[in-house]
Amino acid sequence: MSDPSSARTGTIRLTVGQALVRFLAAQFTERDGVRERFVPSTFGIFGHGNVAGLGQALLQNATDPGEGENPMPYYQARNEQNMVHTAVAYARTKNRLQTLACTASIGPGSTNMITGAALATVDRIPVLILPSDIFATRTVDPVLQQLEDETGGDVSVNDAFRPVSRYFDRISRPEQLIPAALQALRVLTDPAETGAVTLSLPQDVQAEAYDWPREFFRERTWHVARPVPEPAALDRAATVIRSARRPVLIAGGGTIYSEASAALADFTDATGIPVLDTQAGKGALSADHPLAIGGVGATGTDAANDLAAEADVIIGVGTRYTDFTTASHTAFRHPDARFVNLNVKAFDAAKHSATMVVTDARTGLDALREALGGYRAPAEHSALAQTRRAEWEKLIESCFQPHDQELPAQTEIFGALNELMGEEDIVINAAGSMPGDLQALWKARSPIQYHLEYGYSCMGYELPASLGAKMARPESEVVAIIGDGTFQMAPQEIATIVAERVKVILVILQNHGWSSIGSLSESHGSQRFGTKYRMRDESTGMLDGEKLPFDIPANIRSYGLEVQEVSSAADFRDAYRRAEASEDATAIVVNTNLYGPNPPGNGWWDVPVPQISRLESTQRASTEYEADKAPQRHYL
Ligand SMILES: Cc1ncc(C[n+]2csc(CCOP(=O)(O)OP(=O)(O)O)c2C)c(N)n1
Ligand SMILES: [Mg+2]
């Protein structure tokens, strides 16, 4: 962090809310010479906790800003969880160089943001959370919505933010804001530390005036680091890789956030090492590259999984190695498999007893390519990877063709969408059966196109995320793919999309239930119990009666959005073209088959089955589960 501006002396009297807005509006990031406002706007929902504190500060900023105060536009959300998702999608689309702040009232308004905070922290995306808190003076306790804890007067519901935040502070006195705000910015702009940062703001403190040193409000530039690898660590990594006969590289989200695509392509061209991707890393290497083999792990391609199974050296770049990536520790089967991890975060670099290189992905890939000094994977290995890729592409052709059934499989829709969307348009998804299908089938030709939130896989992310991604990148068409279950969980932000005239395309897949958990339930012996949307049947007492009368198109229309309803891939194509041509946000509701079929794939995911049961379906699944689990191991 550095600052070239001249020193300013004296103080300025502002409330804590006004000071925080003024401070945030003066923060910038810089990477590779590009300088941007770090928090260009704030989302919020007001209640007694913030209406007169931060709310007043945002109003004053909009209507009567102080001299030299930068603007901080306010956006009104409908649900606090959603606004955090919007902010996360914004920050992700900006490769973590910019984000948004989210202010909520006390109690439920604040705790509604906990899911979003957890999502941000899991996904390593910066977001600034500003929950309001109970009175610091405690004179009026218990204030409306206060949780009273008889074991500690300083406990509030906001303490629940601590485990899901990378930094947490409660501002009980005005002057505490100074160190807390600076630490908050340090964490948010550090690629190794980043995630949700929470500044908890008691409602009385927000309104309290204080004489702030003027220097607190000068413009600050936070230089986003590209840590270089330690030479000795690089040598160790190069030695391991040079000994490899069947190496693979796994590109994770860090590859994209560090804008390492060109470095990755250079590395791949120089070494001939095939590249597999995770949900967060897809598109880091264009799908058109001959050595881009596709998704690895539980929902990966057979081509990638076969290469992973045989790999003697696995180079992980910017990946957390979730259970989906490792197929719950069954993906890598070579008895002597060794890992080399390039990661900006030592915690991730160390995973699987790896030869660890703590580094920015782009810097690290360039340095490793040079350190390898002309090493190439055996030619037959690179050739085998390409043969396997060609075989997989043949195998999945049928996924995109019409199936012999009344309603289309969703894979037909995804095939059409993948063709119709531009390389730098953005497809968003997070939960349901879609992420698996997309991971196996989608061809991402740019690092921006494939926006899958699969760290927290949070139903309800997609719709508000489309708003955030479009705000971050207005030149891209932004498409959210939303399951009917997911839609029912969080449709509210359609109102915000309408109010702000943000042009996104919502694609809702209506299959009257949970295709994902339904098939998981069936394959694990639980007979799709509780996974369809049906009326309770009076004779069976179960939820297996008629389909619900719930009308998704009518529901969306009631928000003032145009809706097209289709039941085939051909009609979907026409509908998409119309949606694309429209100046306004529109929705396409696609009726799809709950039972797929879904893409083939040999990946596995560890979901335990009861060891004893009176149900035959469970007994069968239990035997199968034990067999599937057998290859699971630690990588030491
Ligand atoms: C907030 C949240 N709750 C529960 C889950 C577990 N879950 C994963 S997928 C799913 C069902 C999704 O249904 P839908 O959106 O209709 O997609 P489909 O499975 O039909 O593709 C559930 C309940 C989750 N991922 N997120
Ligand atoms: Mg569904």
Side-chain angles (χ1 to χ4, degrees):
M1 209 235 0
S2 72
D3 177 57
S5 72
S6 61
R8 291 184 204 154
T9 51
T11 58
I12 173 167
R13 192 161 178 79
L14 295 171
T15 67
V16 167
Q18 292 157 3
L20 180 55
V21 167
R22 187 168 180 141
F23 170 84
L24 289 176
Q27 306 307 306
F28 291 76
T29 55
E30 179 278 330
R31 188 170 73 178
D32 305 331
V34 181
R35 185 170 180 268
E36 284 163 312
R37 265 284 295 279
F38 184 55
V39 184
S41 45
T42 296
F43 268 75
I45 293 183
F46 299 125
H48 61 286
N50 59 345
V51 67
L54 263 178
Q56 186 279 342
L58 289 164
L59 168 69
Q60 189 165 295
N61 174 277
T63 56
D64 187 12
E67 200 192 322
E69 180 171 327
N70 291 329
M72 177 60 79
Y74 160 73
Y75 290 88
Q76 180 187 35
R78 267 64 190 176
N79 172 289
E80 292 88 354
Q81 182 187 123
N82 291 345
M83 71 188 179
V84 183
H85 292 165
T86 299
V88 169
Y90 181 91
R92 178 168 172 169
T93 307
K94 294 285 193 182
N95 287 328
R96 312 195 292 201
L97 297 170
Q98 293 179 275
T99 189
L100 305 173
C102 298
T103 164
S105 188
I106 78 163
S110 286
T111 53
N112 266 356
M113 298 197 291
I114 289 174
T115 296
L119 181 147
T121 294
V122 169
D123 291 345
R124 314 264 159 84
I125 303 288
V127 61
L128 180 59
I129 311 269
L130 304 171
S132 303
D133 214 331
I134 56 174
F135 278 82
T137 58
R138 311 218 190 113
T139 315
V140 301
D141 285 8
V143 64
L144 178 70
Q145 299 167 334
Q146 176 168 346
L147 172 89
E148 290 180 277
D149 186 328
E150 61 270 37
T151 67
D154 61 345
V155 175
S156 87
V157 292
N158 286 2
D159 288 293
F161 279 97
R162 290 180 190 269
V164 297
S165 299
R166 298 293 304 150
Y167 180 82
F168 175 97
D169 205 349
R170 178 177 281 119
I171 312 301
S172 305
R173 294 178 54 87
E175 58 268 48
Q176 290 171 351
L177 181 66
I178 295 174
L182 292 168
Q183 288 299 333
L185 266 290
R186 173 188 66 77
V187 172
L188 286 165
T189 58
D190 181 337
E193 292 285 307
T194 200
V197 163
T198 303
L199 295 182
S200 190
L201 301 165
Q203 64 177 102
D204 48 350
V205 179
Q206 282 179 53
E208 217 172 312
Y210 181 74
D211 293 311
W212 306 88
R214 279 189 177 273
E215 299 99 293
F216 183 48
F217 304 112
R218 67 178 165 79
E219 287 195 355
R220 285 182 160 75
T221 303
W222 299 82
H223 301 284
V224 178
R226 288 194 179 279
V228 296
E230 190 194 354
L234 203 59
D235 281 351
R236 288 191 289 269
T239 305
V240 175
I241 295 168
R242 270 195 228 103
S243 72
R245 308 289 307 153
R246 292 167 169 261
V248 296
L249 185 148
I250 299 179
T255 325
I256 291 180
Y257 309 140
S258 117
E259 298 170 5
S261 286
L264 178 59
D266 288 348
F267 184 89
T268 311
D269 293 341
T271 61
I273 298 176
V275 175
L276 325 180
D277 56 46
T278 71
Q279 289 279 15
K282 189 179 284 301
L285 185 67
S286 167
D288 290 335
H289 193 287
L291 284 169
I293 311 300
V296 67
T299 53
T301 70
D302 288 357
N305 283 342
D306 289 346
L307 289 171
E310 295 155 5
D312 53 357
V313 171
I314 298 108
I315 307 166
V317 184
T319 175
R320 299 194 300 128
Y321 286 109
T322 72
D323 62 346
F324 266 78
T325 298
T326 67
S328 301
H329 281 230
T330 64
F332 311 109
R333 299 197 180 193
H334 191 292
D336 301 319
R338 284 165 301 161
F339 291 78
V340 173
N341 293 339
L342 274 60
N343 207 297
V344 75
K345 204 173 168 76
F347 178 78
D348 290 322
K351 286 176 178 171
H352 304 328
S353 301
T355 299
M356 51 194 284
V357 185
V358 177
T359 175
D360 165 69
R362 191 172 93 182
T363 314
L365 279 165
D366 283 341
L368 186 59
R369 178 172 46 80
E370 280 186 22
L372 283 170
Y375 159 88
R376 278 194 74 81
E380 61 275 17
H381 178 60
S382 310
L384 175 68
Q386 292 181 47
T387 309
R388 290 231 173 102
R389 175 181 136 140
E391 283 167 4
W392 168 258
E393 296 207 334
K394 199 136 194 62
L395 185 70
I396 57 167
E397 264 169 24
S398 65
C399 294
F400 307 121
Q401 305 305 323
H403 294 71
D404 188 17
Q405 54 191 21
E406 195 188 330
L407 292 172
Q410 66 190 20
T411 57
E412 299 170 44
I413 307 302
F414 298 156
L417 195 57
N418 203 169
E419 268 176 52
L420 290 161
M421 287 179 67
E423 277 180 22
E424 302 214 331
D425 291 342
I426 299 173
V427 66
I428 298 178
N429 186 242
S433 56
M434 293 75 77
D437 289 15
L438 294 165
Q439 170 69 345
L441 301 178
W442 192 272
K443 294 206 173 304
R445 296 192 166 81
S446 79
I448 195 74
Q449 197 189 41
Y450 189 80
H451 185 130
L452 260 280
E453 189 288 293
Y454 212 60
Y456 213 44
S457 185
C458 184
M459 290 169 79
Y461 173 79
E462 298 87 339
L463 199 154
S466 70
L467 171 62
K470 185 73 179 181
M471 285 172 70
R473 219 181 139 87
E475 67 272 31
S476 294
E477 212 65 78
V478 175
V479 179
I481 301 177
I482 305 165
D484 59 314
T486 297
F487 178 80
Q488 289 178 64
M489 218 173 252
Q492 310 90 329
E493 242 48 49
I494 297 177
T496 310
I497 287 167
V498 169
E500 299 292 347
R501 299 185 180 86
V502 175
K503 194 241 162 146
V504 294
I505 301 176
L506 307 177
V507 175
I508 293 96
L509 301 182
Q510 167 61 299
N511 56 18
H512 300 276
W514 309 343
S515 165
S516 49
I517 307 299
S519 71
L520 186 66
S521 168
E522 188 172 323
S523 63
H524 285 60
S526 294
Q527 306 172 21
R528 293 189 181 255
F529 175 65
T531 66
K532 292 177 188 164
Y533 290 126
R534 297 295 161 115
M535 302 291 292
R536 189 170 296 281
D537 186 289
E538 280 176 19
S539 58
T540 64
M542 308 283 274
L543 290 171
D544 55 7
E546 291 292 296
K547 283 181 185 155
L548 298 175
F550 178 55
D551 184 340
I552 293 181
N555 188 278
I556 297 172
R557 244 172 241 126
S558 74
Y559 283 95
L561 215 66
E562 264 196 44
V563 187
Q564 307 177 70
E565 186 175 359
V566 300
S567 300
S568 75
D571 288 347
F572 175 76
R573 280 174 191 275
D574 294 341
Y576 184 83
R577 288 196 188 96
R578 280 193 289 272
E580 201 179 28
S582 168
E583 287 193 354
D584 302 318
T586 53
I588 307 172
V589 177
V590 192
N591 296 304
T592 55
N593 192 324
L594 182 70
Y595 303 99
N598 302 91
N602 57 11
W604 183 72
W605 188 33
D606 191 345
V607 177
V609 178
Q611 294 178 330
I612 56 164
S613 167
R614 287 194 301 279
L615 307 179
E616 209 218 309
S617 59
T618 309
Q619 292 162 7
R620 252 198 331 263
S622 180
T623 310
E624 225 172 87
Y625 171 75
E626 293 304 330
D628 289 342
K629 194 177 162 67
Q632 194 174 61
R633 57 187 265 225
H634 291 287
Y635 301 114
L636 300 168

